[in-house]
Amino acid sequence: MSEDITRQVAEQVHAGFGLRLSTLERVTHGADQRARLWLASSVDGSRYAVKLSGGGTPAGLVVTAYLANQGVPGIAAPMPTRDGRLSVEHDGHRLSVVPWVSDQRALDGPMTDAHWRAYGEVLAAVHAVPVTDEVRRLLPAGGAAYPSIVAGTRAVAERLRDPDPDDLALPLAAELAGVWSGVADQVVTLTREVERLAVDQRARSGPGVVCHGDPHLGNLLLGPDGQVWLIDWDDAVLAPPECDLMFVLGGVLAFAPISARQQKAVLAGYGSADIDPARLAWFLAVRALDDLSDWTRQALAPDAETADRDRAARIVRGLVSPVGLVTLADAALRDLDRRR
């Protein structure tokens, strides 16, 4: 099946984009279970990222084309099709082609001070672009899905508190029930505060700027002389800058925490930033609930591969660790209470 898909994708790239590929190598890192990515080489030696996206919307491709046209650094513009579109349909998925800009992920390092500063410069340039009517129409509001995230979190909590026989038979069910029991008070606080602060967010919402929505180090590529590229724009949103800056100021990846020195370098590149602690805490809490519930569901998926379930469970453990997002979001909310 994998060979059939690879052949079909190569044929579709030739038909849609006019590129004749010599190789297609599957890239397996990344957290998006709804996407497939290949490193492709054309017959002239050029390299491309060929992606099948099943989630998000085509807005990410439109936005990256717009950002690149605006001269924003660190953006790899999608390649247009023969008829000027940014993707073609393939078996219910979007097939897109983007130049392959680097083999070096920021997660694999090493990131220099210049890389950290460039990271901030890219975020600042993205946030500074004018929001056109088309961008406003295409991009959802950041955090708008919080009601379904809260509902999903409560459903997973209930599922683990009172598992049915099918769940009890799952290898990780007992362990994950114990994990959730250990952070039950924190999860209750996060869900309550997300709902409560959402009212305040609407009442005094900040400027809606273009945000990547998921600019963690797994979506950052490194180049020479401190150059960086921000990739994977499937979750682009319109939101206050805190929606992106929480990945620097709050910390999101438990296995890749950002130090105070690194934060300072990012902010030096970003420039003046009037951070709203309430917005920052709210976005952190929404993301914490979303990650915790989603990765737990993946760890409990009966049809998933064992390796995928084990990976999801490791991420859940990281989320509730002392440096994990659940802990950090809870601390941000407590700090917010102390400020009142």
Side-chain angles (χ1 to χ4, degrees):
M1 179 64 72
S2 178
E3 291 182 1
D4 288 343
I5 292 176
T6 300
R7 175 181 53 78
Q8 292 167 12
V9 166
E11 292 172 351
Q12 191 79 50
V13 167
H14 181 240
F17 297 88
L19 280 178
R20 193 176 295 278
L21 302 179
S22 56
T23 62
L24 265 175
E25 179 184 347
R26 182 74 189 277
V27 179
T28 56
H29 58 66
D32 190 350
Q33 302 297 311
R34 302 160 298 179
R36 294 183 183 182
L37 179 67
W38 291 266
L39 166 57
S41 297
S42 65
V43 293
D44 68 0
S46 300
R47 300 199 301 167
Y48 300 91
V50 175
K51 185 175 183 179
L52 272 179
S53 300
T57 72
L61 295 170
V62 176
V63 167
T64 49
Y66 171 60
L67 293 174
N69 188 56
Q70 290 287 306
V72 174
I75 304 297
M79 182 176 178
T81 64
R82 292 178 188 265
D83 57 4
R85 293 175 294 151
L86 298 177
S87 65
V88 295
E89 192 275 339
H90 178 83
D91 194 25
H93 290 63
R94 291 183 309 281
L95 179 63
S96 60
V97 178
V98 177
W100 187 274
V101 292
S102 174
D103 294 321
Q104 189 175 5
R105 296 193 306 158
L107 273 182
D108 301 327
M111 281 185 74
T112 64
D113 286 347
H115 284 126
W116 287 106
R117 184 183 181 96
Y119 179 24
E121 290 171 348
V122 169
L123 290 176
V126 169
H127 295 167
V129 297
V131 178
T132 64
D133 289 341
E134 180 184 26
V135 169
R136 197 180 306 280
R137 175 177 58 84
L138 285 173
L139 292 186
Y146 82 87
S148 63
I149 291 170
V150 167
T153 301
R154 287 174 172 150
V156 173
E158 178 62 28
R159 176 182 177 182
L160 291 171
R161 274 197 305 269
D162 187 20
D164 61 30
D166 289 337
D167 278 345
L168 287 173
L170 296 174
L172 292 166
E175 179 192 350
L176 290 172
V179 169
W180 276 67
S181 176
V183 294
D185 290 344
Q186 289 175 306
V187 171
V188 169
T189 297
L190 292 178
T191 52
R192 182 187 66 238
E193 291 300 291
V194 162
E195 291 182 314
R196 186 182 68 81
L197 288 173
V199 177
D200 188 47
Q201 295 299 307
R202 289 194 295 269
R204 59 184 192 87
S205 60
V209 301
V210 174
C211 286
H212 180 281
D214 200 25
H216 56 70
L217 299 187
N219 286 329
L220 196 71
L221 301 178
L222 308 181
D225 302 320
Q227 188 174 11
V228 300
W229 289 271
L230 191 54
I231 62 170
D232 194 354
W233 286 77
D234 287 348
D235 296 317
V237 292
L238 276 182
E242 287 86 353
C243 180
D244 278 347
L245 291 176
M246 71 169 175
F247 288 83
V248 177
L249 299 173
V252 171
L253 301 182
F255 53 87
I258 296 177
S259 70
R261 173 179 171 174
Q262 292 161 348
Q263 288 179 0
K264 184 177 179 180
V266 176
L267 292 178
Y270 189 86
S272 178
D274 185 16
I275 305 299
D276 185 311
R279 288 194 205 111
L280 187 68
W282 188 76
F283 279 112
L284 280 168
V286 171
R287 177 68 184 230
L289 294 178
D290 194 16
D291 280 3
L292 183 64
S293 58
D294 185 54
W295 286 110
T296 299
R297 281 190 293 267
Q298 292 187 46
L300 294 173
D303 298 330
E305 298 288 338
T306 299
D308 291 335
R309 289 199 300 267
D310 289 344
R311 175 173 178 260
R314 285 197 302 273
I315 293 173
V316 171
R317 294 183 206 109
L319 286 166
V320 303
S321 72
V323 294
L325 185 51
V326 170
T327 305
L328 295 172
D330 183 65
L333 290 170
R334 293 179 187 277
D335 185 58
L336 198 59
D337 279 340
R338 287 192 292 268
R339 290 169 181 260
R340 293 192 181 103

